[in-house]
Amino acid sequence: MAQLLDGKTLARRLNQGRVRPAAAELSRPPGLAVVLVGSDAASQVYVGKKTRVAERMGFHHRQITRPAETTQDELLAIVRSLNEDAAIDGILVQLPLPKHIDEQTVLDTIEPTKDVDGFHPVNSGLLSQGRARFVACTPKGCMVLLREAGVELSGKDAVVIGRSNIVGRPMAQLLEQANCTVTVCHSRTRGLEEKVRAADVLVVAIGRPRQVPGDWIKPGAVVVDVGINRLDDGTLCGDVDFETAVERAGWITPVPGGVGPMTIAMLMANTLESAQRRQRPPSRGT
Ligand code: GUN
Protein backbone atom coordinates (compact mmCIF):
# COMPACT_ATOMS: atom_id res chain seq x y z
CA MET A 1 0.00 0.00 0.00
CA ALA A 2 1.45 3.34 -1.11
CA GLN A 3 2.09 6.30 1.15
CA LEU A 4 0.07 9.37 0.21
CA LEU A 5 1.69 12.51 -1.14
CA ASP A 6 -0.65 14.78 0.78
CA GLY A 7 -0.69 18.06 -1.14
CA LYS A 8 -3.58 19.48 0.80
CA THR A 9 -1.77 19.37 4.14
CA LEU A 10 1.56 20.54 2.70
CA ALA A 11 -0.09 23.43 0.80
CA ARG A 12 -1.79 24.60 3.98
CA ARG A 13 1.50 24.41 5.86
CA LEU A 14 3.35 26.44 3.21
CA ASN A 15 0.56 28.99 2.84
CA GLN A 16 -0.01 29.58 6.54
CA GLY A 17 3.49 28.91 7.82
CA ARG A 18 5.60 30.66 5.19
CA VAL A 19 3.72 32.78 2.67
CA ARG A 20 1.29 34.57 4.97
CA PRO A 21 3.87 35.62 7.60
CA ALA A 22 6.36 36.72 4.90
CA ALA A 23 3.66 38.73 3.10
CA ALA A 24 2.80 40.51 6.35
CA GLU A 25 6.39 41.73 6.66
CA LEU A 26 6.32 43.65 3.39
CA SER A 27 5.62 47.38 3.28
CA ARG A 28 2.65 46.69 1.00
CA PRO A 29 0.85 43.40 0.42
CA PRO A 30 1.73 41.28 -2.63
CA GLY A 31 -0.75 42.03 -5.44
CA LEU A 32 -2.22 39.30 -7.64
CA ALA A 33 -4.47 39.92 -10.66
CA VAL A 34 -6.37 36.96 -12.09
CA VAL A 35 -8.00 37.40 -15.49
CA LEU A 36 -10.83 35.10 -16.59
CA VAL A 37 -12.34 35.35 -20.07
CA GLY A 38 -15.51 33.38 -20.83
CA SER A 39 -17.55 31.00 -18.71
CA ASP A 40 -15.68 27.68 -18.71
CA ALA A 41 -17.02 25.95 -15.59
CA ALA A 42 -13.72 24.39 -14.48
CA SER A 43 -11.86 27.69 -14.99
CA GLN A 44 -14.42 29.50 -12.84
CA VAL A 45 -13.81 27.00 -10.03
CA TYR A 46 -10.00 27.32 -10.29
CA VAL A 47 -10.05 31.12 -10.45
CA GLY A 48 -12.41 31.27 -7.47
CA LYS A 49 -10.00 29.08 -5.47
CA LYS A 50 -7.00 31.20 -6.44
CA THR A 51 -8.61 34.47 -5.35
CA ARG A 52 -9.93 32.92 -2.10
CA VAL A 53 -6.47 31.70 -1.11
CA ALA A 54 -4.92 35.07 -2.08
CA GLU A 55 -7.46 36.72 0.22
CA ARG A 56 -6.49 34.39 3.07
CA MET A 57 -2.81 35.19 2.51
CA GLY A 58 -3.55 38.89 3.04
CA PHE A 59 -2.69 39.66 -0.58
CA HIS A 60 -4.13 42.51 -2.56
CA HIS A 61 -6.10 40.65 -5.20
CA ARG A 62 -8.18 41.53 -8.17
CA GLN A 63 -10.31 39.24 -10.28
CA ILE A 64 -11.03 40.59 -13.75
CA THR A 65 -13.85 38.70 -15.46
CA ARG A 66 -14.83 39.35 -19.06
CA PRO A 67 -17.38 37.67 -21.37
CA ALA A 68 -16.37 35.10 -24.00
CA GLU A 69 -16.91 37.68 -26.78
CA THR A 70 -14.03 39.84 -25.48
CA THR A 71 -11.66 40.65 -28.34
CA GLN A 72 -7.97 39.87 -28.30
CA ASP A 73 -7.18 43.60 -28.37
CA GLU A 74 -9.40 44.21 -25.35
CA LEU A 75 -7.63 41.44 -23.45
CA LEU A 76 -4.20 42.74 -24.47
CA ALA A 77 -5.19 46.20 -23.20
CA ILE A 78 -6.12 44.67 -19.81
CA VAL A 79 -2.78 42.86 -19.61
CA ARG A 80 -0.83 46.01 -20.55
CA SER A 81 -2.59 48.06 -17.90
CA LEU A 82 -1.77 45.39 -15.27
CA ASN A 83 1.86 45.42 -16.46
CA GLU A 84 1.97 49.13 -15.57
CA ASP A 85 0.04 48.84 -12.30
CA ALA A 86 2.36 49.37 -9.31
CA ALA A 87 0.02 47.52 -6.91
CA ILE A 88 0.20 44.31 -8.99
CA ASP A 89 3.13 41.90 -8.63
CA GLY A 90 1.60 38.88 -10.34
CA ILE A 91 -0.60 38.53 -13.43
CA LEU A 92 -2.39 35.30 -14.27
CA VAL A 93 -4.55 34.86 -17.36
CA GLN A 94 -6.55 31.68 -16.85
CA LEU A 95 -6.30 29.18 -19.69
CA PRO A 96 -7.89 28.00 -21.91
CA LEU A 97 -8.94 31.23 -23.64
CA PRO A 98 -11.81 31.41 -26.16
CA LYS A 99 -10.74 30.11 -29.59
CA HIS A 100 -10.68 33.51 -31.33
CA ILE A 101 -7.90 34.66 -28.99
CA ASP A 102 -4.32 33.57 -29.61
CA GLU A 103 -3.08 32.35 -26.24
CA GLN A 104 0.58 32.75 -27.00
CA THR A 105 0.16 36.41 -28.04
CA VAL A 106 -1.54 37.10 -24.72
CA LEU A 107 1.07 35.24 -22.66
CA ASP A 108 3.88 36.99 -24.58
CA THR A 109 2.39 40.36 -23.56
CA ILE A 110 2.58 39.71 -19.81
CA GLU A 111 5.53 41.52 -18.24
CA PRO A 112 8.01 38.67 -17.51
CA THR A 113 8.78 39.97 -13.99
CA LYS A 114 5.05 39.68 -13.18
CA ASP A 115 4.55 36.33 -14.94
CA VAL A 116 3.81 34.26 -11.82
CA ASP A 117 2.51 31.41 -14.03
CA GLY A 118 5.94 31.10 -15.68
CA PHE A 119 4.42 30.84 -19.17
CA HIS A 120 6.23 33.77 -20.82
CA PRO A 121 8.97 32.58 -23.22
CA VAL A 122 11.59 34.42 -21.13
CA ASN A 123 10.63 32.38 -18.08
CA SER A 124 10.23 29.05 -19.88
CA GLY A 125 13.55 29.74 -21.63
CA LEU A 126 15.32 30.44 -18.34
CA LEU A 127 13.89 27.21 -16.92
CA SER A 128 15.09 25.22 -19.92
CA GLN A 129 18.60 26.57 -19.33
CA GLY A 130 18.50 25.56 -15.66
CA ARG A 131 18.38 29.12 -14.34
CA ALA A 132 14.72 29.47 -13.63
CA ARG A 133 13.06 32.60 -12.33
CA PHE A 134 9.31 31.89 -12.30
CA VAL A 135 8.49 28.19 -12.71
CA ALA A 136 4.98 27.12 -13.80
CA CYS A 137 2.94 26.43 -10.67
CA THR A 138 1.81 22.84 -11.27
CA PRO A 139 5.23 21.30 -12.07
CA LYS A 140 6.85 23.37 -9.33
CA GLY A 141 4.19 22.11 -6.89
CA CYS A 142 4.90 18.49 -7.90
CA MET A 143 8.62 18.97 -7.26
CA VAL A 144 8.03 20.55 -3.83
CA LEU A 145 5.66 17.71 -2.92
CA LEU A 146 8.33 15.13 -3.84
CA ARG A 147 11.08 17.02 -2.04
CA GLU A 148 9.07 17.45 1.17
CA ALA A 149 8.24 13.72 1.17
CA GLY A 150 11.97 13.01 0.97
CA VAL A 151 11.67 11.14 -2.34
CA GLU A 152 15.14 10.57 -3.80
CA LEU A 153 15.14 11.50 -7.51
CA SER A 154 18.79 11.37 -8.57
CA GLY A 155 19.47 8.60 -11.08
CA LYS A 156 15.82 7.50 -11.27
CA ASP A 157 13.99 6.71 -14.51
CA ALA A 158 11.13 9.20 -14.80
CA VAL A 159 8.27 9.06 -17.28
CA VAL A 160 6.13 12.15 -17.92
CA ILE A 161 2.92 11.60 -19.88
CA GLY A 162 1.90 14.88 -21.53
CA ARG A 163 4.02 17.53 -23.25
CA SER A 164 2.09 20.76 -22.67
CA ASN A 165 3.83 24.05 -21.91
CA ILE A 166 1.77 24.23 -18.71
CA VAL A 167 2.76 20.90 -17.17
CA GLY A 168 4.50 18.17 -19.15
CA ARG A 169 7.41 20.04 -20.70
CA PRO A 170 8.46 22.07 -17.63
CA MET A 171 7.93 18.97 -15.46
CA ALA A 172 10.33 16.96 -17.63
CA GLN A 173 12.92 19.75 -17.43
CA LEU A 174 12.67 19.96 -13.63
CA LEU A 175 13.02 16.18 -13.25
CA GLU A 176 16.03 16.18 -15.55
CA GLN A 177 17.58 19.02 -13.52
CA ALA A 178 17.00 16.84 -10.43
CA ASN A 179 19.15 14.20 -12.20
CA CYS A 180 16.39 11.87 -13.34
CA THR A 181 16.59 10.20 -16.74
CA VAL A 182 13.39 11.45 -18.33
CA THR A 183 11.12 10.01 -21.04
CA VAL A 184 8.32 12.26 -22.28
CA CYS A 185 5.30 10.39 -23.66
CA HIS A 186 2.35 11.82 -25.58
CA SER A 187 -0.57 10.87 -27.83
CA ARG A 188 1.72 9.48 -30.57
CA THR A 189 3.95 7.48 -28.24
CA ARG A 190 4.33 3.80 -29.14
CA GLY A 191 4.50 1.21 -26.40
CA LEU A 192 3.26 3.48 -23.63
CA GLU A 193 2.53 0.59 -21.27
CA GLU A 194 6.05 -0.75 -21.47
CA LYS A 195 7.52 2.69 -20.77
CA VAL A 196 5.21 3.24 -17.79
CA ARG A 197 6.10 -0.21 -16.40
CA ALA A 198 9.77 0.83 -16.32
CA ALA A 199 9.17 4.16 -14.54
CA ASP A 200 10.53 4.73 -11.03
CA VAL A 201 8.78 8.11 -11.11
CA LEU A 202 5.60 8.59 -13.13
CA VAL A 203 3.94 11.96 -13.72
CA VAL A 204 0.64 11.85 -15.58
CA ALA A 205 -0.89 14.97 -17.13
CA ILE A 206 -3.29 13.75 -19.81
CA GLY A 207 -6.63 15.15 -18.67
CA ARG A 208 -8.66 11.98 -19.13
CA PRO A 209 -10.10 9.89 -16.31
CA ARG A 210 -8.23 6.72 -15.25
CA GLN A 211 -6.13 6.37 -18.41
CA VAL A 212 -3.31 4.61 -16.59
CA PRO A 213 -4.35 1.27 -15.05
CA GLY A 214 -2.87 0.37 -11.68
CA ASP A 215 -1.24 -2.82 -12.97
CA TRP A 216 1.06 -0.75 -15.21
CA ILE A 217 2.69 0.80 -12.15
CA LYS A 218 6.13 -0.53 -11.24
CA PRO A 219 6.01 -1.83 -7.65
CA GLY A 220 7.29 0.88 -5.32
CA ALA A 221 7.14 3.65 -7.97
CA VAL A 222 6.33 7.26 -7.19
CA VAL A 223 3.09 8.30 -8.93
CA VAL A 224 2.15 11.96 -9.38
CA ASP A 225 -1.30 12.38 -10.90
CA VAL A 226 -1.90 15.87 -12.29
CA GLY A 227 -5.33 15.09 -13.77
CA ILE A 228 -8.51 16.46 -12.23
CA ASN A 229 -11.47 14.98 -14.12
CA ARG A 230 -15.11 15.42 -13.23
CA LEU A 231 -17.16 12.26 -13.76
CA ASP A 232 -20.85 12.19 -14.71
CA ASP A 233 -21.83 11.61 -11.08
CA GLY A 234 -20.01 14.83 -10.11
CA THR A 235 -17.08 13.16 -8.34
CA LEU A 236 -13.46 13.96 -9.21
CA CYS A 237 -10.83 11.48 -10.32
CA GLY A 238 -7.32 11.56 -11.69
CA ASP A 239 -5.68 10.30 -14.88
CA VAL A 240 -4.46 7.21 -12.98
CA ASP A 241 -6.75 4.51 -11.63
CA PHE A 242 -6.07 5.31 -7.99
CA GLU A 243 -7.78 2.28 -6.39
CA THR A 244 -5.50 -0.20 -8.14
CA ALA A 245 -2.39 1.99 -8.40
CA VAL A 246 -2.31 2.60 -4.63
CA GLU A 247 -1.76 -1.15 -4.15
CA ARG A 248 1.48 -1.11 -6.17
CA ALA A 249 3.00 2.35 -5.85
CA GLY A 250 5.42 3.40 -3.11
CA TRP A 251 4.07 6.94 -3.09
CA ILE A 252 0.98 8.34 -4.81
CA THR A 253 -0.93 11.62 -4.95
CA PRO A 254 -4.67 11.44 -4.21
CA VAL A 255 -7.17 13.31 -6.46
CA PRO A 256 -8.43 15.64 -5.11
CA GLY A 257 -5.98 16.72 -2.39
CA GLY A 258 -2.71 15.98 -4.19
CA VAL A 259 -1.32 18.25 -6.88
CA GLY A 260 -4.26 20.73 -7.06
CA PRO A 261 -3.67 22.52 -3.75
CA MET A 262 0.08 22.61 -4.46
CA THR A 263 -0.53 24.50 -7.73
CA ILE A 264 -2.33 27.22 -5.80
CA ALA A 265 0.33 27.29 -3.06
CA MET A 266 3.04 27.80 -5.71
CA LEU A 267 1.04 30.65 -7.26
CA MET A 268 1.05 32.31 -3.84
CA ALA A 269 4.77 31.62 -3.39
CA ASN A 270 5.59 33.06 -6.84
CA THR A 271 3.48 36.16 -6.18
CA LEU A 272 5.17 36.69 -2.83
CA GLU A 273 8.59 36.28 -4.46
CA SER A 274 7.68 38.83 -7.13
CA ALA A 275 6.57 41.32 -4.47
CA GLN A 276 9.75 40.74 -2.46
CA ARG A 277 11.91 41.38 -5.55
CA ARG A 278 9.96 44.48 -6.44
CA GLN A 279 10.26 45.94 -2.95
CA ARG A 280 13.95 45.21 -2.59
CA PRO A 281 16.59 46.95 -4.66
CA PRO A 282 18.05 44.47 -7.18
CA SER A 283 21.29 42.89 -5.94
CA ARG A 284 24.43 43.73 -7.86
CA GLY A 285 26.32 41.38 -10.06
CA THR A 286 23.62 38.72 -10.53
N1 GUN B 1 -5.26 26.35 -16.78
C1 GUN B 1 -4.95 25.13 -16.24
N2 GUN B 1 -3.90 25.25 -15.42
C2 GUN B 1 -3.54 26.55 -15.43
C3 GUN B 1 -2.51 27.28 -14.77
O1 GUN B 1 -1.69 26.77 -13.99
N3 GUN B 1 -2.47 28.60 -15.03
C4 GUN B 1 -3.34 29.21 -15.88
N4 GUN B 1 -3.21 30.50 -16.09
N5 GUN B 1 -4.30 28.56 -16.52
C5 GUN B 1 -4.39 27.24 -16.28
Side-chain angles (χ1 to χ4, degrees):
M1 196 76 167
Q3 299 192 69
L4 286 187
L5 290 160
D6 180 354
K8 191 173 171 186
T9 302
L10 177 57
R12 195 183 303 131
R13 204 170 85 220
L14 295 173
N15 285 338
Q16 299 296 338
R18 292 205 197 149
V19 174
R20 202 154 70 116
E25 281 182 12
L26 295 172
S27 52
R28 62 162 181 83
L32 174 65
V34 179
V35 183
L36 174 63
V37 182
S39 49
D40 180 78
S43 289
Q44 284 175 340
V45 172
Y46 297 144
V47 163
K49 282 189 179 160
K50 288 167 186 177
T51 48
R52 266 200 308 283
V53 178
E55 165 93 36
R56 261 186 259 140
M57 294 300 101
F59 287 10
H60 167 70
H61 61 92
R62 227 179 282 163
Q63 184 177 322
I64 298 153
T65 308
R66 291 288 181 274
E69 308 79 59
T70 304
T71 66
Q72 179 165 313
D73 283 347
E74 284 167 341
L75 179 54
L76 292 177
I78 291 169
V79 170
R80 289 195 187 101
S81 101
L82 294 169
N83 285 346
E84 300 299 320
D85 191 329
I88 296 298
D89 302 291
I91 302 169
L92 179 148
V93 178
Q94 187 67 26
L95 305 178
L97 289 167
K99 286 194 179 56
H100 65 278
I101 299 178
D102 182 58
E103 275 181 6
Q104 201 55 58
T105 304
V106 175
L107 298 178
D108 289 1
T109 305
I110 296 173
E111 160 59 38
T113 61
K114 295 188 177 187
D115 171 37
V116 286
D117 250 337
F119 295 162
H120 190 283
V122 164
N123 288 315
S124 57
L126 286 169
L127 170 62
S128 77
Q129 293 189 355
R131 50 199 195 109
R133 211 175 287 158
F134 287 124
V135 176
C137 301
T138 298
K140 182 174 176 172
C142 295
M143 294 304 286
V144 171
L145 197 48
L146 295 173
R147 189 183 67 208
E148 293 288 318
V151 171
E152 180 58 58
L153 292 173
S154 187
K156 297 286 172 64
D157 290 325
V159 168
V160 177
I161 312 183
R163 55 178 162 175
S164 71
N165 287 336
I166 297 182
V167 184
R169 187 166 294 120
M171 188 73 224
Q173 290 167 340
L174 289 167
L175 288 168
E176 187 204 72
Q177 287 164 21
N179 299 313
C180 287
T181 302
V182 183
T183 304
V184 179
C185 300
H186 45 78
S187 54
R188 306 286 174 89
T189 294
R190 294 185 197 161
L192 179 67
E193 175 178 346
E194 181 193 332
K195 291 176 171 66
V196 170
R197 283 188 183 277
D200 301 311
V201 178
L202 175 68
V203 180
V204 189
I206 308 172
R208 288 200 200 143
R210 300 181 183 136
Q211 291 290 293
V212 176
D215 67 358
W216 288 12
I217 305 298
K218 179 174 175 174
V222 180
V223 178
V224 177
D225 189 347
V226 178
I228 304 177
N229 307 289
R230 194 169 290 278
L231 300 174
D232 289 340
D233 66 1
T235 58
L236 297 176
C237 79
D239 294 347
V240 176
D241 185 52
F242 182 86
E243 298 305 322
T244 49
V246 73
E247 301 293 334
R248 289 171 69 96
W251 290 93
I252 189 167
T253 56
V255 178
V259 176
M262 292 302 295
T263 296
I264 298 178
M266 295 304 109
L267 175 65
M268 301 304 135
N270 281 352
T271 306
L272 170 69
E273 197 180 308
S274 177
Q276 287 171 329
R277 272 198 209 117
R278 216 166 278 280
Q279 292 182 36
R280 202 188 292 141
S283 63
R284 292 182 198 197
T286 52

